Amino acid sequence: MATKNQRSKSARPQPKRTGGRPGGRLRQPVVVARRATWRDWVAGARLRTLSLAIAPVAIGTAAAVVAGGGGWHWVRALLALVVAASLQIGVNFANDYSDGIRGTDAHRVGPSRLTGSGAANPRTVLSVALAFFGLGAIAGLVLVILSGQYWLLAVGALALVAAWFYTGGKRPYGYSGFGEIVVFLFFGLVATAGTSYVQIGAVPIESWVGGAAVGFLAAAVLMVNNLRDIEQDSAAGKRTLAVRVGDRRARALFVLFLLVPFGILVGFGFFYELAPLVFFTLLAAAPAAVITIFATTPRELILSLQLTSFTALIFGLGLAAAIAF
């Protein structure tokens, strides 16, 4: 029989997680089945999503080139890429950490995550996320100093806040269906226009319009990712846009996000003779749309996600080349 002291210990309520912020307690103890390898960490960075960082920087730089005057700077373009890529990877690890400690990843159907699977200590994952945010902040600070546009520090701070509160904090906006809007703004308009501005001190119309195109592609990537997890997210209380509108409408929105950039491309075709060549990107985009419409398994949606990420990369690089050359 248990002693009185043992019964009193077992009757004590277990500590609950206090939120998605650093130091929050876990809802359930994490049982480490195995230690994460370097391959797990590379997978956790989700390198295929770097297309969302590369595409806007490429278009923004191309817009700076075509503006004339020899004002574009390759060093500043490279720094802008470091900022965008660091924030993207940082968001991926921060999402891994926050979803893991909330228990959202407990029943995920996609690739396992470092925190949710117990392969890595949550605080280690958080530290890696903050390290990438720090790298992006340093590159951004150097970029601001070189360009002399110190008001951009506020934009950078806002980008860091948006990156963390996607799934972090007490009320993450990614849990309320606003993820696609923020992705469109920061990995579309802000990244593209910002890349142009730090190089030539202005934002050509090509940058705004091209930024909108890759912003829709970024939203498409997020939508198909959330479509894959729609049942698990709904059960975990993660109210993504896909959960809010339902499966059928989410698929329709994905196709809309994916195809709008090609409508924008028609306009570029009137001014840049090489722009129509970018329509060959439909060889990846069209299968992604068809697969998503008819998909019945998570594996099919993962394939669509990969095709959509590839579409964003090739579209961005192709349009940048058409503008610059």
Side-chain angles (χ1 to χ4, degrees):
M1 295 179 63
T3 65
K4 180 178 181 181
N5 186 47
Q6 289 175 326
R7 289 195 300 269
S8 63
K9 286 183 178 180
S10 63
R12 292 175 186 173
Q14 296 298 312
K16 296 181 179 180
R17 179 188 54 78
T18 57
R21 59 186 183 278
R25 295 172 180 171
L26 302 179
R27 179 178 298 172
Q28 296 177 344
V30 175
V31 178
V32 180
R34 63 178 180 84
R35 181 172 297 180
T37 65
W38 68 271
R39 294 179 183 276
D40 294 316
W41 287 103
V42 171
R46 305 180 217 175
L47 297 183
R48 71 168 61 94
T49 63
L50 286 183
S51 60
L52 307 184
I54 296 171
V57 173
I59 293 175
T61 300
V65 171
V66 80
W72 81 282
H73 301 273
W74 71 269
V75 173
R76 298 183 189 181
L78 182 60
L79 285 169
L81 180 60
V82 172
V83 172
S86 297
L87 289 180
Q88 179 63 62
I89 296 175
V91 166
N92 291 338
F93 280 117
N95 177 255
D96 187 307
Y97 166 77
S98 296
D99 278 352
I101 67 170
R102 290 177 189 277
T104 308
D105 283 341
H107 305 288
R108 64 177 287 105
V109 294
S112 63
R113 297 294 181 231
L114 292 162
T115 306
S117 67
N121 186 291
R123 290 188 180 277
T124 303
V125 178
L126 174 62
S127 297
V128 172
L130 295 178
F132 276 101
F133 287 153
L135 176 61
I138 293 172
L141 179 60
V142 174
L143 193 54
V144 166
I145 293 173
L146 290 177
S147 65
Q149 304 294 335
Y150 288 93
W151 65 272
L152 289 175
L153 289 172
V155 178
L158 188 60
L160 287 171
V161 170
W164 172 251
F165 283 101
Y166 170 56
T167 54
K170 291 184 177 180
R171 293 192 178 98
Y173 64 84
Y175 279 60
S176 302
F178 296 106
E180 283 78 4
I181 295 175
V182 177
V183 163
F184 172 83
L185 291 174
F186 281 95
F187 284 96
L189 299 179
V190 173
T192 310
T195 299
S196 296
Y197 192 80
V198 296
Q199 295 183 63
I200 61 175
V203 183
I205 187 64
E206 291 88 350
S207 189
W208 288 117
V209 180
V214 293
F216 276 112
L217 289 173
V221 169
L222 182 58
M223 176 60 78
V224 72
N225 181 74
N226 290 338
L227 259 170
R228 180 196 63 199
D229 298 325
I230 192 169
E231 292 184 8
Q232 292 72 26
D233 286 344
S234 179
K238 187 176 182 179
R239 303 278 293 170
T240 62
L241 182 59
V243 171
R244 284 184 173 273
V245 302
D247 183 85
R248 181 176 298 181
R249 291 179 180 176
R251 293 174 193 249
L253 279 177
F254 166 78
V255 174
L256 178 65
F257 293 157
L258 185 63
L259 297 184
V260 163
F262 293 95
I264 295 175
L265 185 60
V266 173
F268 276 102
F270 288 111
F271 301 97
Y272 297 97
E273 61 180 11
L274 296 180
L277 294 177
V278 185
F279 279 106
F280 280 105
T281 310
L282 282 168
L283 293 175
V290 173
I291 290 171
T292 301
I293 291 173
F294 297 104
T296 57
T297 66
R299 178 171 293 183
E300 291 172 295
L301 291 172
I302 290 174
L303 175 59
S304 178
L305 173 61
Q306 294 169 343
L307 288 171
T308 306
S309 296
F310 182 70
T311 297
L313 177 63
I314 301 304
F315 184 98
L317 293 177
L319 182 57
I323 293 172
F325 303 109

